[in-house]
Amino acid sequence: MQRSELAAKLGGTLHGDDGAVAALREPTDATPDDASCVLRDKYLEAALKSDAGVLIVADNHQLERPHIRVLNIELAWIALLDLFAPRLERCGIHPSAIIHPEATLEP
């Protein structure tokens, strides 16, 4: 996904160069192909030292590197998780599960 597409999905504004975003990562693990979200101001300094290609920040921040400014950082975080977190599938009953022959489930 492109940074501009990500900004649009978050309802934010891209500042800086457009480019590809491969994953959402913590600043300490981020690469130039990744995005990092700064949920609290106290994490901004560490994020600025990261290799993240784009930072997602609250609207009150103006940075000297590519960033996406959003009005509500918490809502943006939820949207980011929806976009980047792996989906969990329901597995049913594990093959090694032992179920008593007289066990019943109430509806």
Side-chain angles (χ1 to χ4, degrees):
M1 166 181 336
Q2 292 296 110
R3 293 173 185 168
S4 56
E5 292 174 77
L6 180 57
K9 289 178 187 273
L10 299 177
T13 306
L14 173 64
H15 297 269
D17 296 335
D18 204 359
V21 176
L24 175 66
R25 298 195 192 281
E26 291 190 38
T28 53
D29 300 328
T31 71
D33 293 329
D34 298 327
S36 283
C37 185
V38 182
L39 280 169
R40 302 284 176 260
D41 288 347
K42 67 182 180 179
Y43 303 121
L44 182 59
E45 187 176 332
L48 290 171
K49 293 177 184 176
S50 78
D51 291 331
V54 65
L55 298 176
I56 296 103
V57 296
D59 197 43
N60 60 325
H61 295 291
Q62 183 64 42
L63 310 179
E64 297 295 322
R65 60 184 287 175
H67 63 287
I68 297 171
R69 291 168 58 187
V70 296
L71 290 175
N72 187 319
I73 195 71
E74 287 85 8
L75 290 179
W77 177 246
I78 293 167
L80 286 165
L81 292 177
D82 189 49
L83 290 168
F84 290 102
R87 299 275 185 246
L88 299 177
E89 299 293 326
R90 296 188 99 176
C91 297
I93 299 173
H94 192 275
S96 66
I98 299 171
I99 302 170
H100 192 278
E102 296 176 19
T104 60
L105 295 175
E106 296 290 326

